Amino acid sequence: MADLPLALSQGDPAGIGPEIALKAWSRRRETGLPPFVYLGDPRILKARAAMLGMDVPVAVSAPEAAVDAFGSALPVFAIDAATPVSPGKPDPATSSGTIAAIETGVKLTMRGKTAALVTNPIAKSVLYSSGFRFPGHTEFLAELARRETGTEYRPVMMLACPALRVVPVTIHIPLADVPGALDQALIIDTIRITARDLARRFGIDAPRLAVAGLNPHAGEQGTIGREDEETVRPALEALRAEGIDVTGPLPADTMFHASARTRYDAAICMYHDQALIPVKTLGFEEGVNVTLGLPFVRTSPDHGTAFDIAERGVADPRSLEEALKLAARLARGSEDRG
């Protein structure tokens, strides 16, 4: 895969996706960025570059020619946005192009034309208004993989920065619903997928996983809630019996200081903020969203569309740059391990 470009989907074209793609390409030499092909409308990129005062050549390109083109121009696999785009003003009419870019990225990657997929941020509310029926990016990617292979996939979200990797067991649900959503099967399945992909994608042969309890002090032996004793602990005992190196349930408030982080390769958390607060505190500008459990590598910047700053030209490309670099490393790791 060393000679294949990455696929970068446009995300919502009214957001900062076009801007950070332009900035990342402009900084490609100083940051050591791997080659990528942008999946989106070249007219939008050219208009955004003009708005930002950036001299970025844009070259419509097939994936096969993108690596050679990357040194002198930003290669684009053209996908029509269907309507004019104004930065900061999302329009449901652009949804067809946003969705087509994701679909194209999956097809190119699964058919061996690109090494991995990196996705720029989407706005689900904009897509919902045009009939999009998936809870988010990740579930849509799993469905696209199913369409390609006929196999069902269970995607798992990991957030990674240089200091920490975290995996939430439950994600975008109200906090009040978390205890009812947690069960042993969900915890076991999430940790199995995490351990497997840390080995096959990240090259960690015997991953060490630290698991946070749901309750303060991990329930303190059942005196602060019974979930940790009755749900989390039995799940971890079953995983240890399979040979997975898992520790916990641990008090979440002592898991993320510098010394504690040296004792594990990833932290498993019971709910969204328990996982995302520490990783965004430690590496907000460098955070990367990685989807585990898919038959291809997918990463994404760890931020949203930022419509509020899309007209201002101040978007920071570092999270996208880290997502591109991590995708290239994971794709190489998968290739090395067959």
Side-chain angles (χ1 to χ4, degrees), residues 238-245:
L239 290 161
R240 290 188 197 101
E242 297 177 9
I244 295 176
D245 185 350

PDB file of all heavy atoms in Angstrom, residues 238-245:
ATOM      1  N   ALA A 238     -14.385 -12.773  32.209  1.00  0.00           N
ATOM      2  CA  ALA A 238     -14.541 -13.610  31.012  1.00  0.00           C
ATOM      3  C   ALA A 238     -13.462 -13.297  29.982  1.00  0.00           C
ATOM      4  O   ALA A 238     -12.914 -14.208  29.331  1.00  0.00           O
ATOM      5  CB  ALA A 238     -15.924 -13.386  30.410  1.00  0.00           C
ATOM      6  N   LEU A 239     -13.105 -12.029  29.833  1.00  0.00           N
ATOM      7  CA  LEU A 239     -12.063 -11.638  28.881  1.00  0.00           C
ATOM      8  C   LEU A 239     -10.693 -12.134  29.328  1.00  0.00           C
ATOM      9  O   LEU A 239      -9.886 -12.579  28.501  1.00  0.00           O
ATOM     10  CB  LEU A 239     -12.055 -10.118  28.719  1.00  0.00           C
ATOM     11  CG  LEU A 239     -13.264  -9.545  27.977  1.00  0.00           C
ATOM     12  CD1 LEU A 239     -13.425  -8.063  28.263  1.00  0.00           C
ATOM     13  CD2 LEU A 239     -13.134  -9.788  26.475  1.00  0.00           C
ATOM     14  N   ARG A 240     -10.424 -12.087  30.619  1.00  0.00           N
ATOM     15  CA  ARG A 240      -9.145 -12.613  31.113  1.00  0.00           C
ATOM     16  C   ARG A 240      -9.038 -14.107  30.846  1.00  0.00           C
ATOM     17  O   ARG A 240      -7.956 -14.614  30.520  1.00  0.00           O
ATOM     18  CB  ARG A 240      -9.012 -12.339  32.618  1.00  0.00           C
ATOM     19  CG  ARG A 240      -8.803 -10.876  32.961  1.00  0.00           C
ATOM     20  CD  ARG A 240      -8.478 -10.693  34.442  1.00  0.00           C
ATOM     21  NE  ARG A 240      -8.676  -9.297  34.818  1.00  0.00           N
ATOM     22  CZ  ARG A 240      -9.738  -8.825  35.461  1.00  0.00           C
ATOM     23  NH1 ARG A 240     -10.704  -9.661  35.848  1.00  0.00           N
ATOM     24  NH2 ARG A 240      -9.842  -7.543  35.746  1.00  0.00           N
ATOM     25  N   ALA A 241     -10.162 -14.796  30.961  1.00  0.00           N
ATOM     26  CA  ALA A 241     -10.161 -16.239  30.687  1.00  0.00           C
ATOM     27  C   ALA A 241      -9.828 -16.530  29.229  1.00  0.00           C
ATOM     28  O   ALA A 241      -9.332 -17.611  28.897  1.00  0.00           O
ATOM     29  CB  ALA A 241     -11.514 -16.842  31.051  1.00  0.00           C
ATOM     30  N   GLU A 242     -10.078 -15.550  28.335  1.00  0.00           N
ATOM     31  CA  GLU A 242      -9.727 -15.696  26.919  1.00  0.00           C
ATOM     32  C   GLU A 242      -8.272 -15.325  26.645  1.00  0.00           C
ATOM     33  O   GLU A 242      -7.800 -15.461  25.516  1.00  0.00           O
ATOM     34  CB  GLU A 242     -10.623 -14.798  26.063  1.00  0.00           C
ATOM     35  CG  GLU A 242     -12.091 -15.146  26.123  1.00  0.00           C
ATOM     36  CD  GLU A 242     -12.940 -14.173  25.311  1.00  0.00           C
ATOM     37  OE1 GLU A 242     -12.347 -13.346  24.571  1.00  0.00           O
ATOM     38  OE2 GLU A 242     -14.179 -14.233  25.401  1.00  0.00           O
ATOM     39  N   GLY A 243      -7.580 -14.793  27.664  1.00  0.00           N
ATOM     40  CA  GLY A 243      -6.186 -14.402  27.489  1.00  0.00           C
ATOM     41  C   GLY A 243      -5.974 -12.938  27.175  1.00  0.00           C
ATOM     42  O   GLY A 243      -4.854 -12.532  26.835  1.00  0.00           O
ATOM     43  N   ILE A 244      -7.023 -12.131  27.266  1.00  0.00           N
ATOM     44  CA  ILE A 244      -6.877 -10.691  27.024  1.00  0.00           C
ATOM     45  C   ILE A 244      -6.385 -10.014  28.291  1.00  0.00           C
ATOM     46  O   ILE A 244      -6.906 -10.257  29.382  1.00  0.00           O
ATOM     47  CB  ILE A 244      -8.221 -10.094  26.549  1.00  0.00           C
ATOM     48  CG1 ILE A 244      -8.592 -10.694  25.180  1.00  0.00           C
ATOM     49  CG2 ILE A 244      -8.137  -8.577  26.458  1.00  0.00           C
ATOM     50  CD1 ILE A 244      -9.944 -10.250  24.661  1.00  0.00           C
ATOM     51  N   ASP A 245      -5.387  -9.171  28.170  1.00  0.00           N
ATOM     52  CA  ASP A 245      -4.780  -8.473  29.301  1.00  0.00           C
ATOM     53  C   ASP A 245      -5.622  -7.251  29.639  1.00  0.00           C
ATOM     54  O   ASP A 245      -5.491  -6.191  29.030  1.00  0.00           O
ATOM     55  CB  ASP A 245      -3.351  -8.059  28.944  1.00  0.00           C
ATOM     56  CG  ASP A 245      -2.600  -7.435  30.122  1.00  0.00           C
ATOM     57  OD1 ASP A 245      -3.237  -7.151  31.147  1.00  0.00           O
ATOM     58  OD2 ASP A 245      -1.380  -7.221  29.989  1.00  0.00           O
TER      59      ASP A 245
END
